[in-house]
Amino acid sequence: MSTYKFEHNWLIGRKVGEIWDFISHFHYDGWWPGVCFNTVREAEENGVGAEYETEFRTKLPYKLRFRVKVVSSSPPHSLVMRVTGQLEGQAVWTLIALGDRTHVRCRWEVRTAVRWMSALGPLLKPLFVWNHNRVVAEGVEGLSRHLGTRVHPCSDRCLWNAPAPAASFRHN
């Protein structure tokens, strides 16, 4: 199996509670092109136990299907999911309140469980990474439109020196 570790960081001009509600309810298919989440099992307390069957159409000629199960949830700051199926591993969402803005970190640590992807992983890994990044970029664009605010890519430095969104600047 080929292993992949992805980390994405964004600064979003909305309060952490709003972003939490949005991310933790897995209603992504209305704004993220090529993504479908179907509820398999409803959540228990704080979202734990919720399960979703997912399908991601990629920029390359294949789809990825896997199941996501929420195994840990600390609203409105962290969500840990186990991933099984064509991808195996975990995903962790971390949200940090920055006043009226939220720093969102999404980490995926997964292995491919599709024979051809695992066999070709050492050779095609750069292409698979590019594909992942394109799918995420489409999601960020859709999220920005859906929320009506810009989603700024950033790093952990967002926590200390993130610029305020343009709409919040005041001119004297």
Side-chain angles (χ1 to χ4, degrees):
M1 289 187 181
S2 294
T3 302
Y4 298 85
K5 293 181 181 182
F6 299 104
E7 179 173 317
H8 301 282
N9 288 273
W10 303 286
L11 185 63
I12 303 174
R14 296 291 175 96
K15 290 188 177 196
V16 71
E18 181 180 355
I19 301 301
W20 174 263
D21 288 342
F22 194 76
I23 288 173
S24 65
H25 289 102
F26 296 92
H27 299 296
Y28 301 166
D29 47 338
W31 52 266
W32 195 342
V35 173
C36 182
F37 273 75
N38 292 311
T39 303
V40 173
R41 182 173 176 221
E42 293 294 330
E44 299 165 7
E45 187 174 336
N46 287 337
V48 173
E51 286 187 62
Y52 305 89
E53 286 184 353
T54 67
E55 179 179 280
F56 281 73
R57 282 188 318 232
T58 71
K59 298 287 113 196
L60 297 175
Y62 63 85
K63 296 177 184 177
L64 284 173
R65 294 180 183 95
F66 49 91
R67 188 173 281 211
V68 174
K69 181 177 182 178
V70 176
V71 295
S72 175
S73 177
S74 298
H77 299 291
S78 70
L79 185 68
V80 180
M81 300 168 291
R82 185 177 66 223
V83 179
T84 57
Q86 292 182 321
L87 296 177
E88 301 276 337
Q90 77 170 9
V92 179
W93 288 88
T94 306
L95 285 71
I96 300 168
L98 299 171
D100 289 343
R101 297 175 289 157
T102 303
H103 176 245
V104 177
R105 176 185 300 132
C106 180
R107 292 183 178 171
W108 279 78
E109 294 184 19
V110 294
R111 302 175 302 286
T112 56
V114 177
R115 186 176 297 216
W116 72 267
M117 291 181 85
S118 296
L120 295 174
L123 178 64
L124 297 180
K125 192 169 192 170
L127 189 59
F128 292 157
V129 169
W130 172 86
N131 192 43
H132 167 86
N133 289 333
R134 286 305 315 139
V135 169
V136 169
E138 284 187 345
V140 169
E141 290 169 16
L143 177 61
S144 181
R145 281 190 304 274
H146 187 77
L147 292 175
T149 188
R150 182 134 192 270
V151 177
H152 301 273
C154 65
S155 67
D156 284 340
R157 293 183 315 174
C158 288
L159 299 174
W160 296 283
N161 38 331
S168 67
F169 284 109
R170 294 182 193 192
H171 300 286
N172 294 331

